[in-house]
Amino acid sequence: MTDLLKTPREWPSILLGRAGAKDPLDLDAAVAAGAFEGLRAAVRDLGATATIATIGASGLRGRGGAGFPAVTKWRTAVDTEAPRRYVVANGYGADPASHTDRTLMMLDPYAVVEGTAITAFAVGATEAFIAVRQEDSALIAVLAAAIGAATDAGFLGFDIHGSGHDVSITVRPVQGAYMLGEETVLLKALEGKRGQPEQRPPHPAARGLHGMPTVVHNVQTLASVAWILAHGSDAFRSTGTHDAPGTILVQVRTPAGQGIAEVPLGTPLGDILKLGAALPVGRTLKALLVGGPSGGLLPPDLLDTPYSFETLRIAGAHLGSGSVVAVDDTTDLVELIGVLTRFCSAEACGKSIPCRIGTKRLAEIVERRERGLARPSDDTLASDLAHDIVASALCDHERLATLPLTSGMRYFESDLNDPRRPAPAPIEASR
Amino acid sequence: MSLIPGLGIAKGMALTLRRFFEPKVTVMYPEVRVDVPHKFRGRLQLLYDEWGTLKCETCFQCAQACPVECIDMGGMDTRGRYHVHWGASETYGERREESALRRSGRPVPDPAYRPYEPVDLAVVDTVLEDFDHDPARMLDILEATQDAYGYLPVAALKRISHATGAWYAMIYGTASFYAHLRFEPPTATTQAAAVAAHRPAETTYLAALDAALGGAVGGRAAGRTQA
């Protein structure tokens, strides 16, 4: 299990409030600590319309990386005429190096289950799915046990809280590819099809799983939903920033260690980094990789950038999988950019041609740089190509796959053009 | 834009008219044939650009036109095997004929050859029962089938297609898309090795992250086992 990092006392604990429980699956203890209070408030006191209004007032935004307002999805799903609707909790955790979603579900499965039930109740869905990685059998067991216990206690299943509304939640293990973290791709996999994204609009909230309105949320979003309903939208708004209230889980990795912390949105990157262990003596911070394998590389002088959706995007990174990796001066940045670009290229699903071919060409450009064979036209070529890939993007993977290279070119020009790299091999004479 | 309307077309027609009265270079092949030596084939040459890479666009026109089929185009695939490339099937279908296969060292199809191994289909029938013959649960069906056989035999896929009503091509497309599904019995034995084999990009990424951080962190697999 990944360690939880100690955070300053004044930071609120929204997602991991019950994380200290001895047995996360002990339903009585969890209920005593406040679990399923939000569901009761939503079903008994508020009703569906007021629940949606509460989420709207809280300003909750999706924790999956894009930061889409949660209430917009709910309203779209409710406004679309359909015989049935679905809720999908995305706990796939596509980034293999980030355990934030998994940690939340392991430490407080009831928060995710409760949030899913509230969402299903509010949008009028009777079936909900929690998608997780198939190889993670421990997590699947925990979630199945949590759903079972909650159903037995009457929080889920038939006629919850006497409202006449049924909600059944199923754990759906999926596996196969990095791309499954993307919502339309995940829905395709749940339908038993190739994991390839769909053109949007229509958004999944209007036309998703099996053609029905489907609300897809990251598990952290759902846990926040449960907290908001229990504590009110004003309390939620008091944390984070005006545009992005609330907290988010961050996976911090430094050469000295790693861990997961719950961080209010808008916290400067430097403060997040301080939660991790200090760098070993004699090493200096070279770069921050923010956002996972398709994240951006940021230089140390951007340490006061607030950790939030827009600010990171402007700086050339994104929230992504909630991973913040500190890289010190012993790391070869060109090699790292190469690995990231190749990863993004290898994981491209192949549906859109600029992504399938373009990322491959970008990987080749970085590889030429790694081997000291860079051509004078490469920089222009790379930025043109990256621009075209992003402009023709079908999904967020494509929109972000160029980030490691473009952010590297933006901030680490001197590393990319390091004269100590191997000398270019002589060009074979043209005949 | 020219100031006199129609000047452009007049210029163009004037050029056409001039060419009309010039001696012709085009020969009405094959009625008329230019007198070239019997064995003349032009000059076969691959050109390089200023960076030393081949200018060949792999259009296959030379291979298509070659009268004695001495030109082929080949290359290494991702597993390091050499293949002759054929180009678009509808255009180059004739190059799949026996002699071309033989020259490329590929097995020549035998009409009496059985296309797939017969397997015991009772297993896949049980799997289909479990999932209600529902094509919307195709991934679950395929995964359960693979668990049962160790891989996805063609005969089983055909049975799944027949029973669920999903096209064989769609099933094959889905099965070949996901890296964890395979069409041959596995060679890697341990779980970690299997994951590494079907997720090479993920493994490389974790290894690189580890290297960048001085080996201080474990990958997801490490986190998994202790949980």
Side-chain angles (χ1 to χ4, degrees):
Chain A
M1 202 75 211
T2 316
D3 299 327
L4 288 182
L5 297 173
K6 211 170 150 57
T7 50
R9 189 163 303 155
E10 63 272 18
W11 286 12
S13 199
I14 290 177
L15 299 166
L16 297 178
R18 292 194 294 269
K22 234 180 248 162
D23 176 15
L25 280 173
D26 184 348
L27 183 59
D28 297 332
V31 168
F36 291 100
E37 248 170 49
L39 182 66
R40 187 181 303 126
V43 176
R44 286 221 181 129
D45 310 337
L46 292 172
T49 321
T51 305
I52 296 177
T54 309
I55 295 301
S58 73
L60 174 67
R61 297 174 65 175
R63 301 300 193 237
F68 197 72
V71 73
T72 314
K73 289 188 185 182
W74 293 24
R75 292 217 169 103
T76 312
V78 169
D79 292 345
T80 310
E81 281 291 317
R84 57 184 186 280
R85 302 185 175 81
Y86 294 108
V87 173
V88 173
N90 187 351
Y92 181 70
D95 179 1
S98 171
H99 306 233
T100 49
D101 295 349
R102 176 176 195 273
T103 306
L104 172 67
M105 287 185 283
M106 285 300 273
L107 294 181
D108 195 356
Y110 291 117
V112 177
V113 169
E114 183 189 358
T116 312
I118 293 171
T119 312
F121 167 75
V123 302
T126 51
E127 270 184 271
F129 303 103
I130 303 181
V132 291
R133 282 192 175 230
Q134 181 144 45
E135 65 264 31
D136 199 345
S137 42
L139 176 60
I140 295 172
V142 165
L143 283 174
I147 292 170
T151 311
D152 290 344
F155 294 120
L156 300 176
F158 181 68
D159 194 16
I160 49 172
H161 283 300
S163 64
H165 194 96
D166 308 340
V167 175
S168 74
I169 302 182
T170 322
V171 182
R172 285 291 294 272
V174 289
Q175 64 172 330
Y178 174 70
M179 285 290 290
L180 292 188
E182 217 275 340
E183 57 176 5
T184 55
V185 179
L186 181 67
L187 294 181
K188 286 273 159 211
L190 290 179
E191 288 177 5
K193 294 179 182 156
R194 282 166 169 237
Q196 291 183 323
E198 277 291 300
Q199 181 83 43
R200 275 165 291 191
H203 287 271
R207 210 184 127 77
L209 195 63
H210 304 303
M212 298 298 151
T214 307
V215 175
V216 187
H217 276 315
N218 182 274
V219 288
Q220 294 181 44
T221 320
L222 291 168
S224 304
V225 165
W227 192 91
I228 292 166
L229 265 301
H231 297 84
S233 51
D234 292 338
F236 188 74
R237 272 222 172 262
S238 67
T239 61
T241 65
H242 176 73
D243 295 327
T247 60
I248 192 164
L249 297 185
V250 180
Q251 168 99 43
V252 187
R253 283 171 192 269
T254 67
Q258 63 159 345
I260 288 176
E262 179 173 1
V263 172
L265 286 165
T267 309
L269 279 174
D271 291 0
I272 296 177
L273 209 57
K274 273 184 213 139
L275 301 173
L279 291 179
V281 182
R283 305 240 205 125
T284 50
L285 181 69
K286 173 84 156 273
L288 284 177
L289 174 61
V290 182
S294 62
L297 287 162
L298 301 182
D301 46 330
L302 285 182
L303 274 180
D304 11 321
T305 312
Y307 191 76
S308 182
F309 302 102
E310 281 77 21
T311 43
L312 280 183
R313 205 149 274 216
I314 290 165
H318 63 116
L319 247 73
S321 60
S323 114
V324 174
V325 178
V327 174
D328 67 13
D329 50 354
T330 56
T331 307
D332 184 352
L333 273 190
V334 183
E335 210 179 299
L336 184 63
I337 293 173
V339 168
L340 297 173
T341 311
R342 277 192 289 276
F343 178 85
C344 291
S345 151
E347 293 290 349
C349 74
K351 181 157 182 176
S352 115
I353 295 164
C355 182
R356 182 178 71 218
I357 312 282
T359 54
K360 203 136 281 177
R361 294 289 101 86
L362 278 186
E364 283 168 12
I365 290 173
V366 187
E367 197 164 332
R368 287 206 286 272
R369 182 85 57 155
E370 279 177 70
R371 293 162 54 195
L373 294 170
R375 301 168 183 177
S377 57
D378 270 359
D379 281 355
T380 342
L381 194 63
S383 47
D384 280 2
L385 189 53
H387 179 266
D388 289 349
I389 293 173
V390 172
S392 65
L394 195 57
C395 75
D396 263 349
H397 174 70
E398 189 177 357
R399 222 162 273 140
L400 301 169
T402 60
L403 258 189
L405 180 57
T406 46
S407 62
M409 283 168 63
R410 181 166 156 195
Y411 295 118
F412 299 98
E413 196 57 48
S414 59
D415 283 270
L416 285 172
N417 296 322
D418 193 347
R420 284 170 300 175
R421 299 207 70 77
I427 294 165
E428 229 177 284
S430 325
R431 270 162 289 161
Chain B
M1 211 174 81
S2 115
L3 291 172
I4 309 158
L7 183 66
I9 195 141
K11 274 184 181 170
M13 292 313 290
L15 182 70
T16 311
L17 207 65
R18 276 207 302 283
R19 289 278 186 272
F20 198 76
F21 293 106
E22 276 178 10
K24 310 289 177 293
V25 185
T26 316
V27 171
M28 299 305 285
Y29 183 85
E31 285 84 9
V32 185
R33 296 187 180 223
V34 185
D35 188 23
V36 289
H38 176 60
K39 288 195 170 175
F40 180 71
R41 293 280 180 259
R43 188 174 161 201
L44 298 179
Q45 186 183 28
L46 283 172
L47 299 175
Y48 293 80
D49 68 8
E50 63 267 43
W51 307 112
T53 37
L54 277 176
K55 275 181 150 182
C56 170
E57 288 199 67
T58 338
C59 72
F60 288 87
Q61 297 220 29
C62 59
Q64 167 73 355
C66 179
V68 291
E69 295 194 353
C70 66
I71 304 178
D72 266 332
M73 228 165 274
M76 300 302 229
D77 69 5
T78 47
R79 296 187 184 170
R81 300 171 301 199
Y82 183 79
H83 289 291
V84 168
H85 295 167
W86 306 103
S89 55
E90 63 277 15
T91 321
Y92 300 98
E94 64 267 34
R95 296 198 46 90
R96 293 168 185 273
E97 65 191 25
E98 218 181 284
S99 76
L101 287 175
R102 205 155 265 147
R103 278 180 295 108
S104 71
R106 285 180 156 192
V108 181
D110 177 358
Y113 172 69
R114 284 191 72 99
Y116 51 83
E117 293 287 312
V119 293
D120 177 20
L121 291 173
V123 185
V124 73
D125 286 341
T126 341
V127 169
L128 285 164
E129 287 284 312
D130 291 346
F131 294 101
D132 295 337
H133 301 82
D134 182 1
R137 309 203 58 189
M138 189 54 72
L139 272 181
D140 295 331
I141 296 177
L142 291 176
E143 279 156 12
T145 310
Q146 174 161 302
D147 285 347
Y149 291 106
Y151 66 110
L152 293 172
V154 177
L157 292 186
K158 295 226 164 184
R159 173 60 67 96
I160 294 170
S161 162
H162 193 255
T164 60
W167 294 337
Y168 179 78
M170 296 292 287
I171 299 177
Y172 184 82
T174 307
S176 56
F177 180 83
Y178 289 99
H180 65 285
L181 298 172
R182 53 182 175 258
F183 299 102
E184 281 155 13
T187 43
T189 43
T190 61
Q191 173 66 17
V195 169
H198 76 63
R199 291 231 186 96
E202 198 165 280
T203 316
T204 326
Y205 166 63
L206 284 176
L209 214 53
D210 274 0
L213 296 177
V217 294
R220 183 178 278 273
R224 278 283 143 67
T225 45
Q226 292 158 22

